[in-house]
Amino acid sequence: MTIEIQEQRRTGAEQVRVRVVDSDVHPTPRRGELAPYIPEPYRTLIAQRNQMAGNSVYYDAPDYNHAYAMRTDSFPDDGNFAGSDPALTFRQLILEAGSDIAILGPLNGGGQTDEETHALCVATNLWQDHHWLDGENNWHQRYRGSICVAIETPDEAAREIERWAGHPYMSQILINAEPRPSWGHPRYDPIWAAATRHDIPVACHLGRGQHNELPMSPVGFMTYNHDLMVTYSMLAANQVMSLVFDGVFDRFPTLRIVLIEHAFNWILPLMWRMDAVYAARGPENGLRRKPSEYVKDHIWFTTQPLDYPENKLELTNALEWMEADKLLLFSSDYPHWTFDDPQWVAKHMPERWREKIMFENAIELFHLPATVPALAGQKRPF
Amino acid sequence: MTTPSGPLVDASVQIFFRSDADLRTYLREPFRSRGYPHVDVAWFAPPGPRYLPGTSGADGAHPGSDPAAVGRAVVEERGFDVAVLHPMTAASILPDWHLATAILAATNEMLVERWLDDGPYAAHFRGTIRVNPRDIDGALREIERWKDHPRVVQIGLPMQTEVPYGRPQFKPLWRAASEAGLPVAVHIEMGVGITHPPTPSGITRTYSHLFAYQPMTFVWHLLNMIAEGVFHEFPDLKVVWTDGAADMLTPFIWRMDTFGRPHLEQTPWAPDIPSSYLPGHVWFVNALIDGPGDAPFADEWLRMTGKEDMLLFGSSYPAWHTAGPDDLPAAWTAEQRAKVLGGNAAELYGITAAAGAATA
């Protein structure tokens, strides 16, 4: 019935329950697609610097020169990069893998200066609105966007949030975690204030800065993509501790943070450490609650990359002990090479929490609809 | 409460010079007249006592500087048979590596002279000699000088470094430690110096945050050492992370294994699955804020990743966060408790029950 409607890029009247919300999906502009949205003088400046510029990768994912850290089947036929074709993403992720709603997290890189980074965020938001969230490309109503903001410029970031808040398909604010200082510093308060004013979660995907904000560890630089990417969680762990111990959740009691692709099993022992130091030295920090309580009420983690220890029961135990139903949101990371399939992830979640992690938590957090227009031939992963 | 049948070992007791003036009596010129930080500085100090009450000596001698007083506290009052001493310095993060090496050499002389060769508790003490990883030749000389001392049981390095310990420049250190049969103990250096900020995002704003975060620094060193093939090249190398945070090993090695399978092609010098390099290479001292506390699953958690064979009880006496056996999780099995309170340390350091009791 709906096949013909899909070919016309129109939805029918039939609704279907949302069973998978995918909180980490990466759209990328086709060649030349972003530039028109970059405000001057940065558009010209960035174009000039891009002349004769080659690949700038270091810390390369496996087989980089063949896969470019992407699923090799996710490159569209037109020669553009993986994740650049909304129709291909729709087919591979929504129809074939069965993610019902995809939260898009564009990673268009930072500028050399704070002003350039802000300009790129402005452009990225306009580009999402015109090329992914518009009626032609989001006819199926399965895409949600991110209000990208430069945490380096909190006042401009707050204005950008005001500009897009209320957009029917913008579901979260997206910031970077690499700039210093940590998020507990009061300079970032305008961002948290704008986010909570509009009840929009603030998400953060791991990225790549430069120099000491690469990130660089307290003992210098890692050697390989392997040790860099695994230790990346230490940056997120620090941001969690900064948010808690610097009182951000006391200042903004409705603030919700989503840590995307920062892994999550480390939060279990980190909650123990924070609670233990709070017990030992608590009063001097002026916190109103135990650190683990702030984590469970305010911070969310996406499931990808899901670890699988030799003994699967250990992961199951860890999920139980951390109360994963209060912490996790499913994510696939499409179209990156580390893609986690929703059917595979669902199997590894404790059965009584499976629906919370795969979709219920995200529907509540992002204020998503519980049903969406049905699609013919869409996979239902569990 | 179950106690092990072998020796009870406190694997981390902090010892000090009596004062800066005391340290200078062990230094020659041009170092004796130099300026360098005290071990206790105001920068991110605990807003409250730094040490247990009553641990300062007469005339204001630094806590942990009197061998007889420490012996009384650790052996008589706290009931341990053996204490592994870790001399605390502010030297190995000094910009002038010559000065750093000189202070560490002075520290080792003090350790051996006052604690290991003399005094009523010398038979209960085992020592950590301190070497400077930014002066490899000097470190090798210092290892050569002390490695055959019967009560020197390990080599001490700072947690804070300019580059991670997987870098090839440290290979002579690992070779010397392996050949000497001495484990390497990594400890957070005191004082201040030329260090990177303690987090990837700069300083912390509170002491609690720093205190809980900084011990986790081992994650970067360890994962880098695994990927760089250090344990593959030096199968006899043993590393003890003495600031705790062993709990972090489980999630990070899961991640490193999972992410590692496709990455191993990039590092043929470390061809095995990362977690296979842990047993027999990696130990941790347990710290006050470690572990799941009273959780009923603490025994299962300790079993995971083989942590029950890696964990050494250490008090950190006389620091404010001094821990005792009562702080260990109640849900551990009797066997786990025996391993942590002495069994693992006895095996690692070659401590026998008779050795600890010799002159008690």
Side-chain angles (χ1 to χ4, degrees), chain A residues 7-27:
Chain A
E7 283 167 358
Q8 297 163 32
R9 295 189 167 196
R10 280 179 26 233
T11 54
E14 187 187 344
Q15 290 279 310
V16 64
R17 278 190 68 206
V18 171
R19 296 276 293 168
V20 179
V21 176
D22 188 338
S23 294
D24 187 21
V25 176
H26 299 295

Side-chain angles (χ1 to χ4, degrees), chain A residues 55-87:
Chain A
N55 196 335
S56 59
V57 70
Y58 54 104
Y59 293 120
D60 51 318
D63 229 19
Y64 183 87
N65 203 39
H66 301 283
Y68 305 100
M70 298 293 137
R71 254 175 64 163
T72 51
D73 66 347
S74 66
F75 289 81
D77 294 335
D78 63 7
N80 274 291
F81 203 70
S84 62
D85 180 356

Side-chain angles (χ1 to χ4, degrees), chain B residues 7 75 81-82 120-126 151 351-360:
Chain B
V75 177
D81 298 305
V82 172
Y121 296 97
H124 295 271
F125 293 149
R126 298 293 181 276
R151 290 184 184 137
I351 296 168
T352 60
T359 57

Side-chain angles (χ1 to χ4, degrees), chain B residues 301-323:
Chain B
W301 175 255
L302 190 65
R303 192 194 57 72
M304 288 160 62
T305 325
K307 295 192 294 293
E308 62 188 8
D309 295 314
M310 300 175 189
L311 209 57
L312 315 172
F313 172 81
S315 65
S316 296
Y317 178 90
W320 73 263
H321 49 94
T322 295

Side-chain angles (χ1 to χ4, degrees), chain A residues 58-270:
Chain A
Y58 54 104
Y59 293 120
D60 51 318
D63 229 19
Y64 183 87
N65 203 39
H66 301 283
Y68 305 100
M70 298 293 137
R71 254 175 64 163
T72 51
D73 66 347
S74 66
F75 289 81
D77 294 335
D78 63 7
N80 274 291
F81 203 70
S84 62
D85 180 356
L88 182 61
T89 296
F90 172 71
R91 178 166 68 75
Q92 291 188 325
L93 183 68
I94 310 291
L95 289 183
E96 294 173 2
S99 285
D100 291 312
I101 292 181
I103 314 277
L104 307 175
L107 305 173
N108 287 342
Q112 291 177 190
T113 63
D114 296 348
E115 295 86 347
E116 287 179 27
T117 299
H118 173 64
L120 284 166
C121 286
V122 168
T124 299
N125 295 333
L126 289 165
W127 163 79
Q128 278 181 95
D129 185 44
H130 283 85
H131 296 269
W132 284 78
L133 304 179
D134 58 302
E136 185 182 346
N137 290 298
N138 198 23
W139 60 270
H140 41 67
Q141 302 170 32
R142 304 307 186 100
Y143 291 151
R144 295 295 182 281
S146 296
I147 305 172
C148 298
V149 304
I151 192 165
E152 298 90 334
T153 55
D155 292 330
E156 284 84 348
R159 279 196 287 278
E160 193 68 8
I161 294 168
E162 295 294 342
R163 181 177 178 190
W164 291 100
H167 186 291
Y169 293 121
M170 286 291 194
S171 286
Q172 66 183 5
I173 294 155
L174 190 62
I175 60 173
N176 282 329
E178 292 77 19
R180 298 181 180 192
S182 309
W183 291 342
H185 195 288
R187 78 169 61 172
Y188 301 125
D189 283 0
I191 296 176
W192 316 135
T196 51
R197 192 178 308 127
H198 297 285
D199 196 20
I200 309 175
V202 180
C204 172
H205 191 281
L206 49 77
R208 291 274 167 97
Q210 297 284 353
H211 311 299
N212 61 343
E213 295 181 348
L214 181 70
M216 183 185 72
S217 93
V219 298
F221 295 105
M222 297 293 98
T223 313
Y224 310 100
N225 195 60
H226 189 186
D227 47 340
L228 172 75
M229 291 298 280
V230 174
T231 56
Y232 219 114
S233 299
M234 291 290 290
L235 179 140
N238 178 62
Q239 296 290 21
V240 167
M241 292 178 73
S242 176
L243 288 167
V244 169
F245 286 109
D246 297 335
V248 174
F249 299 122
D250 286 333
R251 299 203 291 282
F252 300 95
T254 59
L255 178 63
R256 285 154 311 148
I257 299 287
V258 183
L259 290 169
I260 305 173
E261 205 177 344
H262 289 276
F264 62 86
N265 283 309
W266 49 267
I267 194 61
L268 174 63
L270 195 79

Side-chain angles (χ1 to χ4, degrees), chain A residues 221 224 234 238 285 310, chain B residues 167 208-209 213 228 255 261:
Chain A
F221 295 105
Y224 310 100
M234 291 290 290
N238 178 62
N285 295 305
E310 294 294 317
Chain B
R167 291 288 165 84
S208 291
H209 181 171
Y213 191 83
E228 288 279 40
R255 187 87 216 87
R261 288 184 193 278

Side-chain angles (χ1 to χ4, degrees), chain B residues 177-179 181-182 231 233-238 280-281:
Chain B
S178 300
E179 287 172 2
L182 296 175
F231 299 115
E233 185 172 354
F234 301 101
D236 297 326
L237 180 64
K238 303 174 194 307
H281 286 295

